[in-house]
Amino acid sequence: DYVSPWEAGINRFGVSGVRLGGVIALLTNGAGVGMASIDTIKDIGGSVHSFVDMGALVYQKEAMTEIITAIIEEKPKAFLFSFFFQVASCEMIAQAVVEAVRLTGSKIPIIIRARGQKLQEAQDVLSAIDHILLDDFTEACVAAVEAVK
């Protein structure tokens, strides 16, 4: 099976990543959330650029920052983060997002659907960049699709 250089770079972190050719980058903390996001985005007329399931890397800010940076450098037209953390910290993913946006200077729309631990702290961190933070899964998918129209 062929693995592109981009996919190999993402996969070296021990996570699953795939390029899909659309315009919305998608980063989640579970394959189920990812598949539901891809289906919802397609159902409302959008297309997914790339999908990465962070798995256990949600506990490693530096690795998350590198992966987010690599995805941004691929130039998707929007970036949807969809996370539901029962144990991991929303604040840590927020820090990784802000750092990657600053490193790349990216101006692409950032849409974040987050629930879980340290959500208020995450909101404080995210105030450093332009973003849309939503609680509802479907609303987040719609916002991502609308952002690229």
Side-chain angles (χ1 to χ4, degrees), residues 10-73:
I10 295 297
N11 295 344
R12 75 182 167 90
F13 289 99
V15 299
S16 298
V18 64
R19 289 279 315 266
L20 298 171
V23 296
I24 300 168
L26 175 62
L27 192 72
T28 71
N29 72 316
V33 172
M35 294 294 108
S37 300
I38 291 168
D39 289 344
T40 301
I41 289 167
K42 284 185 172 188
D43 287 348
I44 57 178
S47 62
V48 177
H49 170 275
S50 54
F51 164 59
V52 176
D53 172 9
M54 292 300 290
L57 279 188
V58 296
Y59 298 102
Q60 299 176 32
K61 187 178 80 128
E62 292 79 16
M64 283 193 297
T65 302
E66 283 188 52
I67 289 171
I68 295 166
T69 300
I71 295 168
I72 290 172
E73 288 174 345

Side-chain angles (χ1 to χ4, degrees), residues 1 8 21 24 32 37 39 48-49 55 77 84 91 104-105 116 124 135 144:
D1 291 324
I24 300 168
S37 300
D39 289 344
V48 177
H49 170 275
K77 293 188 179 179
F84 179 63
E91 181 182 25
T104 61
D124 295 342
D135 180 58

Side-chain angles (χ1 to χ4, degrees), residues 13 32 34 89-90 94 107 123 147:
F13 289 99
S89 167
C90 291
K107 301 292 183 203
Q123 291 172 332

Side-chain angles (χ1 to χ4, degrees), residues 61-102:
K61 187 178 80 128
E62 292 79 16
M64 283 193 297
T65 302
E66 283 188 52
I67 289 171
I68 295 166
T69 300
I71 295 168
I72 290 172
E73 288 174 345
E74 286 289 306
K75 307 241 185 282
K77 293 188 179 179
F79 207 141
L80 172 60
F81 297 84
S82 187
F83 291 95
F84 179 63
F85 293 137
Q86 294 178 345
V87 177
S89 167
C90 291
E91 181 182 25
M92 190 180 301
I93 186 69
Q95 291 169 346
V97 170
V98 169
E99 190 170 331
V101 168
R102 285 183 175 160

